[in-house]
Amino acid sequence: TKYTAGLAATNKIAVGGPFLQGHVIAVGCLEDGPITVDGIPVLTKFPSTHSLPHDMGLISYSAEGKLVDEATSAWEKHIVKMHLPLGVHIEVFRWKNYVDLRIVMQKQPNQDGGCGNMDGDVSDDTTEAIYSRIGARVPSGKLLFNHRTPPDLTIVEEKLLTMCEPDRLATAQKECAEDLGNLKGTPSAMQTKACMLDICYGSNEHTLKMAKSLGIVPEVIE
């Protein structure tokens, strides 16, 4: 986002699918606008509660809840709690331009996703294994948001890619061609660049610090 100098942040989630009988709950950061169920604003008062159709669950909105990140304790809390079917409990901590999440649930049959399939075998939770099973992106027919935001590299990421060491860059190009070649469909230029960035800098815990030292990003990010 524009606030994180190229680092990832979550600013909205959508919850839906067969277990909610096709209904969709969307909760974003405070700047995003109202909380909605099937596109209709709910929880417009603070605090307040909202019952889902057919008594499927309850959503509440208040300042009550244990923080995911204690560093946010200085800010006023706006917490959405969802008590949903199948024992799914979700808390969304709404901040000005991002959200924190806590999801508590039991393992579901055929569960899979970006964090793995919860089968107790970490070897099949690699990025490559997950992509081979479910693809790199959510299929259009299963998209819960109203539109898809095209992924793109930030200026910082583009600059870092040009500064990858030649030998490491060559390795990245070779490995990404092999890994992405196993995906369904033709990989996009964005997928290839993202893969190469992972190989060039994925093991570097101080990439942002390095980028600042090279003058790629400013020392102070507002």
Side-chain angles (χ1 to χ4, degrees), residues 113-173:
C115 294
N117 55 17
M118 297 297 292
D119 64 353
D121 180 6
V122 297
S123 68
D124 63 8
D125 290 338
T126 63
T127 300
E128 293 80 5
I130 293 170
Y131 280 6
S132 69
R133 293 195 301 268
I134 62 175
R137 308 206 71 201
V138 177
S140 298
K142 295 184 179 181
L143 193 66
L144 298 179
F145 292 112
N146 293 327
H147 65 279
R148 187 189 298 278
T149 301
D152 200 5
L153 295 186
T154 65
I155 295 175
V156 173
E157 290 167 330
E158 291 279 9
K159 184 67 174 178
L160 284 171
L161 194 55
T162 66
M163 300 176 69
C164 183
E165 295 179 1
D167 289 346
R168 195 170 184 84
L169 183 62
T171 298
Q173 290 171 330

Side-chain angles (χ1 to χ4, degrees), residues 4 36 50 81 107 110 120 142 168 174 202 209 219-220:
T4 56
T36 64
H50 176 79
K81 295 182 180 179
K107 179 183 175 182
N110 302 314
K142 295 184 179 181
R168 195 170 184 84
K174 181 177 181 295
K209 181 178 180 180
E219 283 294 331
V220 178

Side-chain angles (χ1 to χ4, degrees), residues 206-221:
H206 306 289
T207 299
L208 181 58
K209 181 178 180 180
M210 181 194 74
K212 287 180 179 179
S213 70
L214 295 173
I216 300 174
V217 296
E219 283 294 331
V220 178
I221 304 170

Side-chain angles (χ1 to χ4, degrees), residues 12 21 37 47 50 53 68 70 76 79 82 92 94 119 133 139 154 166 180 184-185 200 208-209 211-212:
K12 190 170 187 176
Q21 299 180 23
V37 174
H50 176 79
V68 172
E70 289 298 330
E76 183 179 351
I79 305 173
M82 309 181 202
V92 185
R94 307 180 75 202
D119 64 353
R133 293 195 301 268
T154 65
L180 296 177
K184 300 175 182 177
C200 285
L208 181 58
K209 181 178 180 180
K212 287 180 179 179

Side-chain angles (χ1 to χ4, degrees), residues 170-207:
T171 298
Q173 290 171 330
K174 181 177 181 295
E175 291 186 6
C176 288
E178 293 174 352
D179 291 342
L180 296 177
N182 295 324
L183 300 182
K184 300 175 182 177
T186 303
S188 66
M190 171 62 197
Q191 286 176 309
T192 301
K193 287 182 178 180
C195 175
M196 291 167 61
L197 271 173
D198 283 344
I199 295 175
C200 285
Y201 300 104
S203 298
N204 186 349
E205 298 179 357
H206 306 289
T207 299

Side-chain angles (χ1 to χ4, degrees), residues 3 17 31 34 44 46 55-56 64 70 78 87 91 94 100 103-104 107 110 165-166 185 192 194 197 207 214 217 222:
Y3 305 102
E31 289 184 345
T44 54
F46 186 84
D55 295 322
M56 285 188 297
E64 301 300 320
E70 289 298 330
H78 294 80
E91 293 177 87
R94 307 180 75 202
D100 283 325
I103 302 174
V104 179
K107 179 183 175 182
N110 302 314
E165 295 179 1
T192 301
L197 271 173
T207 299
L214 295 173
V217 296
E222 297 182 355

